[in-house]
Amino acid sequence: MPDLPQFLLFIAAGWLLNLTPGPDVLYIVTNALRSGVRAGVVAGFGIFSGCFVHVAAAAVGLSALLATSATAFTVLKWIGAAYLLWMGVRLLFAKASPLNLEGGAVDVNLWGVYRRGFLTNVLNPKVALFFLAFVPQFIAPDEDNKAWVFLALGVIFNVNAIPINMAYAWLAAWAARRVHTVQRAMHWMDRAAGALFVGFGLRLAMSNNPTP
């Protein structure tokens, strides 16, 4: 494991990276705004679970394959891009739904929220490549058990993302309970979120393959 200064730097860098808005944050905030904090939290745990797939895959070498094989990267890239585009189109054409401004329970399929969050993360090969690029910087070159250290640091990074994801969910739900203009504009927010997901999907589809 890295020494204490390196470990603290790893923690701080992970928090800063998790604060950066992206498809995962957008998914959490959208669900929390529409259906309350519970849906936002469940969305966060779906993404949290998806990250473990990437950590485990990287530890056993799948991410290395994606970084060196243009074919493998392209296949997973197009699957992920197609899924992001599908989610974006669904949001663009979704019917307006009232927000839960009183903080009570709403009728929401939490399993569906969790499943979509999981797939949003798992089907994005950029997450796998991120772990491959970021985590090894904190592993000593002479470390004998690099795979186990990689796995441990990946798990720590993922667990440290929980408070960030929960904070996004709580803040979005707080705004939904207090800002009434959010309710009047919810159908436009759905469409804006859909457009962003389409944009993420197109950007992923057009991204350059890694050079073998």
Side-chain angles (χ1 to χ4, degrees), residues 34 88-97 187 190-191:
R34 182 187 299 108
V89 170
R90 285 182 69 249
L91 285 169
L92 281 171
F93 292 97
K95 294 182 179 179
S97 56
H187 64 291
D190 277 343
R191 282 149 182 76

Side-chain angles (χ1 to χ4, degrees), residues 11 24 47 50 79 84 92 140-141 149 151 181-182 200-201:
I11 298 295
D24 292 347
I47 290 163
I79 293 174
L84 288 173
L92 281 171
V149 175
L151 182 62
T181 55
V182 173
F200 283 128

Side-chain angles (χ1 to χ4, degrees), residues 45-55 114 117-119 121-122 127 158:
F45 274 108
I47 290 163
F48 170 78
S49 301
C51 275
F52 275 119
V53 174
H54 290 294
V55 171
Y114 174 88
F118 177 82
L119 291 174
N121 189 276
V122 167
V127 179
N158 201 16

Side-chain angles (χ1 to χ4, degrees), residues 25 43 45 47 50 66 79 98 113 116 119 121 124 151 157 204:
V25 170
F45 274 108
I47 290 163
L66 292 176
I79 293 174
V113 171
R116 289 190 293 271
L119 291 174
N121 189 276
N124 187 353
L151 182 62
F157 179 93
L204 178 60

Side-chain angles (χ1 to χ4, degrees), residues 3 14 18 55 59 110 114 123 147 150 166 168 196 202 204:
D3 57 23
N18 280 301
V55 171
L110 293 178
Y114 174 88
L123 293 178
F150 188 107
M166 299 305 100
Y168 271 120
L196 285 173
L202 291 174
L204 178 60

Side-chain angles (χ1 to χ4, degrees), residues 38-144:
R38 185 174 60 169
V41 169
V42 170
F45 274 108
I47 290 163
F48 170 78
S49 301
C51 275
F52 275 119
V53 174
H54 290 294
V55 171
V60 299
L62 176 58
S63 290
L65 173 64
L66 292 176
T68 57
S69 170
T71 301
F73 180 85
T74 299
V75 169
L76 193 53
K77 179 183 75 173
W78 282 107
I79 293 174
Y83 184 74
L84 288 173
L85 287 169
W86 175 74
M87 285 196 66
V89 170
R90 285 182 69 249
L91 285 169
L92 281 171
F93 292 97
K95 294 182 179 179
S97 56
L99 291 175
N100 177 30
L101 297 181
E102 303 303 322
V106 294
D107 184 16
V108 57
N109 182 354
L110 293 178
W111 168 244
V113 171
Y114 174 88
R115 184 180 65 252
R116 289 190 293 271
F118 177 82
L119 291 174
T120 296
N121 189 276
V122 167
L123 293 178
N124 187 353
K126 294 290 187 179
V127 179
L129 294 175
F130 162 77
F131 278 111
L132 183 67
F134 177 71
V135 175
Q137 300 178 51
F138 299 90
I139 301 176
D142 57 350
E143 172 61 51
D144 293 329

